[in-house]
Amino acid sequence: MVLYHYGVLYFPSMQPDRHTALLNKGYLAVDLFFLLSGFVMAHVYCAMFERRVDTRSYWTFLSARIARLYPLHLAVLGLFVALALVVSITEYAAGGPLAGIPVTGVRSMLALLANLFMLQGLHASTLSWNYAAWSISLEFMAYLAFPFVLVHVWRAGPRAQGLLALMLCAVLAGLAWWTGDDFNQWDGPTTLLRCLPEFLLGTLLYRVYVSQPSFRLGTGPFSGQSSSLWSGDAVTAGVLALVLLTLHLKGPDLLVIVLFAALLMAVVSNRSRIGAWLNSSPLIWLGEVSYALYLIHGLVEHTTSEILTKALHIQDRHTLSTGSSFGMMVLMLSVSLLLAAACYRWIEKPAQRYLRGALSR
């Protein structure tokens, strides 16, 4: 996703689509994320909500989700506000007008209020400070309903679960028809039709996973019996190859999402070389800092824009050469990774532990 934002949208002169559509389809990482999020949430909380939802269990769940999302979101939001004030004061000191923060629009007081209540995803084009945060707003909305949905999903029989899966797939198919198979929907009501059905499909995938012996594993976080077909590398490598080929050839977005679901089931069932590689230390570290990287890369991008336009007087990034664009992208990515590691260690984890303790009291 970061490479898509930097290498496709931010530096248009790079034009990676001349060689492959892989990066240009990077917005579909959001769809993979929502499938995975529904799967993981069902795995973590199925025991808590398989029979009923009461006030205590619901607050335990919600407080954990608040502690997970809010501290870093608020910290990065504060950095955006601080940057806006610094830019405004600098321009005033240079003889310009004192603009301040507008009441409405992007990076406004209204947008700030929406971000505080995680509502920016409903209309990200006018309610964003950190544009990347639209998806965590939708994720938080999914969390609010998740325990009640999980109870019914867990109690339902195979036929009801199948009908629900068909309904969710029909919603996604309808969205594909409505948008011309463009799932890059990040603004307005279509974001709900994109993200929430995928989150619920992830929950259903986990229900299928634990109810079918052919998927379950002998050890690891998703435990059960092992199957030689799904635990080997052949299925995982084959599905991964199909995903990459479809993305490379600019295949239909809806097909990619279906392949993402198959890839998720193959990966969590794998107990061979691919599974070991996915559990290697560098990839585990990237997974740990991924939330910080996702939020902080928007701040790095916005700061770069302020430097380019106000300090270097480069108004049109189309004028940057391919080499200059590539060099700046590497620099921005490096800074984003360093800041993400620092935010994870010194903001995200300590604040998460403190807030979970405070909310539990």
Side-chain angles (χ1 to χ4, degrees):
M1 178 60 75
V2 178
L3 289 176
Y4 167 69
H5 286 154
Y6 286 177
V8 176
L9 300 182
Y10 196 71
F11 293 114
S13 62
M14 292 184 64
Q15 298 180 344
D17 57 321
R18 291 180 298 181
H19 309 288
T20 178
L22 197 61
L23 284 184
N24 292 69
K25 289 280 190 176
Y27 57 84
L28 290 172
V30 170
D31 305 273
L32 177 59
F33 165 76
F34 274 95
L35 284 170
L36 180 60
S37 182
F39 190 97
V40 171
M41 287 296 102
H43 167 67
V44 174
Y45 291 102
C46 63
M48 182 181 290
F49 297 122
E50 64 180 342
R51 290 185 175 85
R52 66 190 181 94
V53 181
D54 55 35
T55 303
R56 182 182 180 85
S57 62
Y58 185 73
W59 177 245
T60 299
F61 164 77
L62 196 60
S63 62
R65 296 300 91 206
I66 290 172
R68 175 71 177 91
L69 293 183
Y70 258 95
L72 192 58
H73 167 61
L74 294 180
V76 175
L77 180 62
L79 291 174
F80 267 94
V81 174
L83 178 62
L85 293 175
V86 168
V87 170
S88 179
I89 293 171
T90 303
E91 290 178 339
Y92 177 73
L98 185 61
I101 297 176
V103 176
T104 59
V106 179
R107 300 188 182 94
S108 65
M109 297 302 297
L110 179 62
L112 182 61
L113 185 64
N115 276 261
L116 292 176
F117 288 95
M118 282 286 191
L119 297 174
Q120 69 272 20
L122 295 176
H123 214 301
S125 63
T126 57
L127 293 177
S128 288
W129 276 82
N130 183 2
Y131 72 92
W134 72 267
S135 61
I136 67 168
S137 169
L138 269 292
E139 184 184 7
F140 190 73
M141 293 177 195
Y143 288 161
L144 294 175
F146 168 75
F148 306 100
V149 173
L150 184 61
V151 168
H152 294 291
V153 167
W154 219 257
R155 288 178 176 177
R159 180 176 296 180
Q161 292 170 4
L163 287 174
L164 177 58
L166 287 176
M167 288 175 56
L168 295 172
C169 290
V171 172
L172 293 176
L175 179 63
W177 173 81
W178 187 12
T179 62
D181 192 53
D182 180 13
F183 272 74
N184 192 17
Q185 305 299 317
W186 56 272
D187 187 38
T190 52
T191 57
L192 297 172
L193 297 177
R194 174 192 183 186
C195 300
L196 298 187
E198 291 168 349
F199 185 90
L200 293 177
L201 277 174
T203 303
L204 280 172
L205 285 175
Y206 182 74
R207 188 68 180 100
V208 171
Y209 175 78
V210 298
S211 62
Q212 297 296 322
S214 59
F215 289 115
R216 297 199 300 270
L217 306 178
T219 59
F222 306 104
S223 59
Q225 278 189 318
S226 177
S227 165
S228 59
L229 176 64
W230 286 91
S231 62
D233 287 335
V235 172
T236 306
V239 177
L240 179 60
L242 279 175
V243 169
L244 294 176
L245 182 63
T246 306
L247 291 171
H248 170 70
L249 297 177
K250 205 175 182 179
D253 286 358
L254 186 60
L255 174 59
V256 174
I257 293 169
V258 173
L259 291 175
F260 278 161
L263 181 63
L264 174 59
M265 298 298 279
V267 166
V268 298
S269 302
N270 187 279
R271 299 303 297 170
S272 192
R273 296 184 185 89
I274 294 178
W277 178 74
L278 290 173
N279 283 285
S280 61
S281 297
L283 291 183
I284 290 175
W285 179 81
L286 280 175
E288 289 175 342
V289 303
S290 60
Y291 178 56
L293 177 62
Y294 183 68
L295 288 185
I296 207 70
H297 88 276
L299 178 66
V300 172
E301 182 177 316
H302 181 58
T303 304
T304 304
S305 295
E306 294 294 325
I307 294 172
L308 288 177
T309 56
K310 294 181 171 61
L312 302 178
H313 306 291
I314 298 175
Q315 306 296 330
D316 186 2
R317 292 189 301 277
H318 285 85
T319 60
L320 295 171
S321 67
T322 302
S324 298
S325 297
F326 181 78
M328 291 190 64
M329 184 193 73
V330 171
L331 177 62
M332 290 168 64
L333 182 59
S334 301
V335 171
S336 297
L337 281 169
L338 289 172
L339 290 177
C343 287
Y344 172 77
R345 180 175 179 179
W346 289 310
I347 298 177
E348 182 180 348
K349 295 306 292 182
Q352 184 178 349
R353 287 192 297 267
Y354 171 79
L355 194 56
R356 288 192 72 163
L359 291 175
S360 67
R361 291 192 294 272

